[in-house]
């Protein structure tokens, strides 16, 4: 999703294979996790990407994570 958004912003058609990085939720501070999600959403906000189902699900998920963080869950 991020690659598609960047390609639309810079009028490119690049395919990039990125290594997968997995972090356990216990490895990251909840506030930092929220900020990373928000940063990722911002990076994907180009072209028609915000209209995709995946982007909308990401946006919904961020809202739920923020709500849980504020509630202390």
């Amino acid at each position: 999703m991020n690659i598609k958004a960047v390609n639309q912003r810079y009028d490119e058609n690049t395919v990039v294979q990125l290594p997968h990085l997995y972090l356990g939720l216990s490895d990251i501070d909840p506030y930092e996790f929220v900020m990373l999600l928000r940063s990722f959403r911002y990076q994907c906000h180009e072209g028609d990407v915000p209209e995709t189902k995946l982007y909308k699900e990401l946006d919904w998920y961020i809202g739920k994570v923020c709500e849980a963080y504020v509630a202390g869950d």
Side-chain angles (χ1 to χ4, degrees):
M1 182 170 61
N2 184 241
I3 292 169
K4 182 178 178 183
V6 170
N7 284 344
Q8 288 184 40
R9 177 171 180 81
Y10 296 105
D11 197 23
E12 297 178 3
N13 194 14
T14 306
V15 176
V16 177
Q17 280 297 100
L18 299 174
H20 290 90
L21 175 63
Y22 297 98
L23 294 174
L25 290 179
S26 62
D27 297 335
I28 190 167
D29 175 72
Y31 176 80
E32 190 175 350
F33 182 61
V34 168
M35 296 310 290
L36 288 170
L37 285 173
R38 293 182 74 235
S39 177
F40 179 66
R41 179 180 56 189
Y42 174 78
Q43 291 174 15
C44 294
H45 192 82
E46 295 292 342
D48 63 357
V49 174
E51 303 306 316
T52 65
K53 182 178 178 182
L54 182 58
Y55 183 92
K56 290 176 182 180
E57 288 180 13
L58 173 66
D59 195 45
W60 176 86
Y61 180 75
I62 291 170
K64 290 298 181 183
V65 170
C66 289
E67 183 180 309
Y69 178 72
V70 170
D73 294 343

